[in-house]
Amino acid sequence: MHQAYGGVVPELASRDHIRRVLPLTEQVLADAGRSLKDVDVVAFTRGPGLAGALLVGAGAACSLAAALGKPVVGVHHLEGHLLSPFLSADPPEFAFVALLVSGGHTQLMRVDRVGSYELLGETIDDAAGEAFDKSAKLLGLPYPGGPHLARLAQGGDAQAFKLPRPLLHSGDLDFSFSGLKTAVLTQAKKLGAVISEKDKADLAASTQAAIVEVLVKKSMQALDQTGLTRLVVAGGVGANMLLREQLNAACSRRGIRVHYPELHLCTDNGAMIALAAGMRLQAGMEAPNTAYLFDVKPRWPLGMLGA
Ligand code: KG4
Ligand code: ZN
């Protein structure tokens, strides 16, 4: 639905969510062999994100919880991503450095326990996923372009094009990806109106290598700076295989344990939101809310969750 526009159209998204939320809830329960009677708590994404889409989820969750007479918990979207590796066969232990790389965020955080998130650095412009998506669009790939660009890159030469590594040596833990997109555009223009398949693959490989190199370097810097010996990678870009290979290599050289969510739990999903709600309840950080009054937080810095 969004592909025709090259990006998410907020109003189309929330209208589609209204149509899908109840049938999808029924289908998920049926697939899991469960019924609403088995539900103890209803969790929903309270923010950050598109207000319309958040309101659909919050409204459906609070109505459902009220009808069931069960409490409701509003969860921070990024906390869901951050805790998603706890659903894997090899879950991490606290404390760790988290590299959060999604379509909207690129952040390095220090995580000491559930609810304790200290921002170490973040992007000053585009997110890593956005850099993938925008470069993919320049190469004529469909949206969201990250996985398409990664696939195209497999047959390409990552050394073929010289692309910038923004803020690689800035000394801090911030990122910048908008210059990279401009550099990809400049290269694509130089190649002319019709770009050969080989040049496309080479440019894709060079772009991916530039993004991954910066992510790996800054993650290692964050581990050095904090003295922590565990790294957790979360968010859609965490599904990128080159990123995983290079992080694994860099971490094994330093004796660092690195944890990823299961591949299908890297991109947005409901399981991570349910898990985050469960972990917050277990940690005593959520008073059961049975008032069913709700608000959403389209802008919500994770550091403000507090301890
Ligand atoms: O976490 P996510 O599902 O949604 C947000 O919260 O933003 O992340 C989506 C982002 C998109 O930019 C998508 O292109 C990127 O993750 N992505 C990838 C890969 N799979 C998803 N980027 C590079 N390589 C991949 N394999
Ligand atoms: Zn996400």
Side-chain angles (χ1 to χ4, degrees):
M1 189 177 68
H2 299 294
Q3 249 168 25
Y5 304 92
V8 172
V9 184
E11 190 57 29
L12 290 182
S14 47
R15 288 182 199 193
D16 197 51
H17 290 187
I18 290 173
R19 275 192 293 269
R20 287 176 194 262
V21 67
L22 292 182
L24 187 59
T25 304
E26 279 166 8
Q27 186 195 322
V28 164
L29 285 167
D31 290 352
R34 300 290 169 125
S35 80
L36 285 174
K37 284 200 277 308
D38 300 317
V39 172
D40 303 309
V41 176
V42 181
F44 69 96
T45 304
R46 189 177 173 204
L50 298 170
L54 291 170
L55 282 167
V56 175
C62 289
S63 321
L64 195 59
L68 295 170
K70 300 287 181 182
V72 70
V73 174
V75 172
H76 194 292
H77 179 78
L78 294 181
E79 187 175 32
H81 275 303
L82 238 159
L83 298 177
S84 62
F86 284 93
L87 286 169
S88 72
D90 176 30
E93 275 169 45
F94 294 109
F96 52 76
V97 167
L99 172 68
L100 255 173
V101 273
S102 70
H105 292 86
T106 302
Q107 300 186 330
L108 279 161
M109 319 230 33
R110 180 194 171 107
V111 181
D112 283 292
R113 58 198 137 76
V114 177
S116 168
Y117 311 113
E118 184 197 337
L119 184 65
L120 302 171
E122 66 182 331
T123 183
I124 55 171
D125 43 55
D126 290 353
E130 233 173 328
F132 268 103
D133 295 341
K134 288 178 175 174
S135 305
K137 195 174 174 186
L138 292 171
L139 293 169
L141 298 170
Y143 177 88
H148 296 282
L149 188 138
R151 213 166 302 127
L152 183 60
Q154 275 174 4
D157 171 9
Q159 312 290 325
F161 293 93
K162 291 244 167 318
L163 295 172
R165 269 66 171 159
L167 299 189
L168 189 66
H169 301 295
S170 63
D172 59 22
L173 296 174
D174 286 338
F175 302 87
S176 164
F177 289 108
S178 70
L180 180 62
K181 168 197 63 195
T182 312
V184 173
L185 177 64
T186 308
Q187 294 290 354
K189 274 189 180 155
K190 269 193 214 156
L191 293 170
V194 184
I195 306 178
S196 74
E197 286 310 308
K198 172 163 190 324
D199 282 340
K200 264 192 199 170
D202 288 350
L203 192 48
S206 304
T207 306
Q208 176 176 247
I211 298 171
V212 166
E213 187 181 332
V214 180
L215 293 176
V216 172
K217 168 97 190 284
K218 298 270 170 160
S219 300
M220 296 309 116
Q221 229 172 284
L223 288 159
D224 288 345
Q225 196 178 302
T226 55
L228 294 174
T229 54
R230 257 189 214 91
L231 177 69
V232 159
V233 184
V237 181
N240 185 272
M241 282 304 158
L242 184 73
L243 179 64
R244 288 187 175 216
E245 273 165 30
Q246 299 211 349
L247 281 175
N248 289 346
C251 285
S252 82
R253 278 198 295 275
R254 292 162 186 249
I256 302 282
R257 288 285 319 270
V258 52
H259 299 264
Y260 306 93
E262 304 286 327
L263 266 185
H264 68 288
L265 296 176
C266 273
T267 43
D268 289 350
N269 64 86
M272 70 186 194
I273 302 301
L275 176 80
M279 289 179 76
R280 289 186 70 80
L281 283 162
Q282 269 177 353
M285 304 194 64
E286 292 286 334
N289 171 3
T290 47
Y292 310 121
L293 295 172
F294 64 86
D295 65 349
V296 295
K297 291 175 173 278
R299 289 180 176 276
W300 190 10
L302 187 58
M304 277 173 55
L305 274 186

